[in-house]
Amino acid sequence: MVAAETRTKVLEVNDLSISYGPKTAMSGLSLDVYENEIFGIIGPANSGKTSFLRAINRMDAFDSQMNVNGSLRFMGTEVSAWRNDYALRRQIGVVFPLPVGLPMSIYDNVAFAAKLRGVKGKAALDEVVERCLTRAALWDEVKDRLDSLGSQLSGGQQQRLTIARALSQEPTLLMLDEFSIAVDPVTTMRIEDVLKELKKEMTILLVTNLVQQAERLADRTALFLNGSLIEIGYTDALFEGQTQDQRTKDYLEGRFG
Amino acid sequence: MTARFAATELNLSNYRTERRYRLMLFSMTAMLVLPVLIILAILILKGAPMISWEFLFEFPRRGMTEGGIYPALLGTIFIVVVDLIFAMPIGVAAAIYLSEYAPDNWLTRAINLAIINLAGVPSIVHALFGVGAFVIFFGFGTSILAAALTVAIMTLPLVIVATRESLQAVPQAFREACWSMGASRWQTIFTVVLPNAISGILTGLILEVSRTAGETAPIMFTGAAFFLPFLPESVFDQTMALSLHLFVVSTQVPEVPEALPYGVALVLIGIVLIMNAISIVFRSYLRGKKKW
Amino acid sequence: MSEKTLAPSQLDQRDASWYVDKLVQILMFVGGISAIIFIIGIFVFITKEGIAFLFEGFSFTEFFGSINWRPTSSNPTYGALALIVGTASVTGVAMLVAIPFSLGAAIYISEFATGRTKETLKVLVELLAAIPSVVWGFIGLSIMNEFIIEVFDVPIGLNVLNAGIILGLMAAPIMTTIAEDALKAVPDRFREAAEAMGATRWQIIRQVIMPAAKNGLVSAVLLGVGRGFGETMAVLMASGHAINIPTSPFDSVRALTATIAAELGETAQGSEHYGALFALGIFLFIITFIINLAADLVVRGIRKK
């Protein structure tokens, strides 16, 4: 544990609470996420996992119902104190539960973030598109039809497209929200391999409904339940049964959720 | 109430009642839409003989009892064009605000109420407003500009409602995906929302043309003239207009040949209905090639 | 890896796109509130032109109690009662025509018609709504006029009946569309539940769907009334435009809106007559505002439930 604290903190969360109108989605959350780790978040539906991700990339700016209180630092600065919240989001890649291929060409889907960042010139964009699609294990399947609509790919392909898109942002933090929900098992495995590679370059926040997925990928894992953090620990240790809270043990063993 | 499930005779009588009501409702619907067809038929029958190259492209002669409708036709086009220059940007901006920015608060409710009222205030009251504001206060005089502004404000709800509907039909997930990549609100609207709502905006534009061409009351004191022997040279000139011309030749001018107003009415309704037909065809065409 | 160690302060710069975004937000907001500005503008400007009359020539009892609208006489009087009654009678007949037919059509289109029939009927209703008011006026003046003279054997065909029918046909498409939307908004599970109990289509419509869509239907009627109330050109051309308290549908009348349209061109700006016409405009504005507000509140009532 002592070693861990010397690592750079990408996220520092202190007493964070999130509510939508009168409904509380998360309260009293405190945790840190370190550079180059895969941080898994598990928990049943409505436990506040997605709300937490939305708070990190400041989706509350677009949702007048959503309220975030407490301290949430990204790269050492409060997310709410970023002067340009769009620049903040450019540092954070997001992959949604249901794949969202934007209704533009596959090429434009992947080149979009690069263009936002100010990358100019066809050669530079071509390079970004090929690199990101290759990393997301999609290049071979789509390289001959980059002009066709991203929203008309199959579910599994669209999900890899959204990963390629998130990678094209060259993010500091990659957040995946139950990415495998609409993806077949083979694709899921391929994406998981990609994530293990990506860990060397970025920090990954992996929200998952599959306990085994967290076990396979995450360095540390947190359990959320009904809008609060139950337990946080090294994944290996948790799955070996070294849990502080009985509910964690129950959840990991599949007794609820 | 228990009988409802029992006798077959009752079922049978229910069935007959149902057929009777169905027939009645159908004939009511038919009687509502039949007039359009009858009216169109009469207008075509009586008006078609008038339509000729000369009718469309000559000035009226002999106190408007002879000759063509050229200055009125052209004037209507001028008013429509100037109207679009104002109504489209303002209407689309308002729709974008309501669909993409507006929080659910009192101001948004007030805007919606104002839109309903802009559409609901009598056209002649809009005309009074046009006279008081554009003709007198802003000093545009009776001019194409004043007339077009008056109609633009009156028909603004049409553009707003058509555009807003098509913006709201774009799935929210597209916006969130775009935002999460660090696109600003405007970049999201410009690259993802607007391109996918373009059909609704164009439908709004076509309907706006149709409505503007048909309006009479709001332009008759703000810029449209009964008769002018020459064409307008700038937006600060008066103009003739097709809709007002129909009113004039059918009520104000003595000894007009019977067919003349029918010809004017046919041209006017032709423009309006063709525009509406285009918007309907266009809509169903685009519905067929949705991108998601 | 070098990028990762960048401090946020270097990444967190307000770039051109940030400023463009804020600028656009302001522009869109201006567009959004323009509707409010225009509505207020309408009220301000018609009041500005009419206020002098309201304080000088205007008498409440004369305006609402007298039928003598004689703005051009040497001793002008401004009694709007006949105009109000004219507008009311025409709107009344219009509603007698429009309410049953538009509700009937809405029910048929929403609950019975399917597929191509449904699409065709909706398109026809839309085209009906598109016919300009001056064309309707011309139809009243020419086609309906002759028709009424022939059928009812009356000397003049430009009267309450003519204007009422024309206005009814004009208001009906809007009412049909709004009523159909209201019926469509009734969830299908209502229909299915009633069907499962063995109710017939008509019973479902009468006992389930109509009550559930009640507010939307009322709002459709209100907006139809507002439309009839404010219609100008068609009423001007089809009503006969004679100051008269009608005793039968075959009497000619004169409407508030038509009076403004017919007389505004002949008045001098700033004159008493001119002010009186703007006062009629203020009256029309307030009445239609109330009707629209009521329709909106009624519809809001459904959403609350």
Side-chain angles (χ1 to χ4, degrees), chain A residues 75-188:
Chain A
M75 297 172 77
T77 309
E78 283 294 335
V79 290
S80 57
W82 278 61
R83 297 173 69 234
N84 184 347
D85 54 336
Y86 306 123
L88 164 75
R89 289 190 202 96
R90 274 174 232 153
Q91 293 298 313
I92 304 172
V94 185
V95 175
F96 295 96
L98 296 174
V100 182
L102 292 174
M104 44 173 92
S105 74
I106 294 172
Y107 185 94
D108 288 338
N109 260 282
V110 185
F112 186 54
K115 284 184 197 158
L116 290 179
R117 214 174 38 234
V119 176
K120 285 196 182 74
K122 182 146 172 40
L125 290 172
D126 283 351
E127 189 273 324
V128 169
V129 170
E130 178 167 355
R131 178 163 46 88
C132 296
L133 283 173
T134 309
R135 302 212 66 175
L138 187 62
W139 175 251
D140 291 334
E141 288 166 55
V142 299
K143 66 181 174 201
D144 300 323
R145 47 184 180 125
L146 290 173
D147 289 336
S148 57
L149 276 175
S151 46
Q152 284 170 350
L153 291 171
S154 77
Q157 288 174 325
Q158 278 199 50
Q159 194 60 297
R160 278 176 285 157
L161 177 66
T162 59
I163 290 175
R165 219 169 49 197
L167 294 180
S168 74
Q169 292 174 237
E170 297 183 353
T172 307
L173 174 67
L174 177 64
M175 310 197 293
L176 299 105
D177 190 359
E178 304 190 347
F179 73 88
S180 52
I181 232 168
V183 179
D184 60 278
V186 177
T187 311
T188 304

Side-chain angles (χ1 to χ4, degrees), chain B residues 123-139:
Chain B
S123 55
I124 193 69
V125 174
H126 279 280
L128 292 176
F129 164 63
V131 170
F134 302 125
V135 176
I136 300 172
F137 186 77
F138 290 109

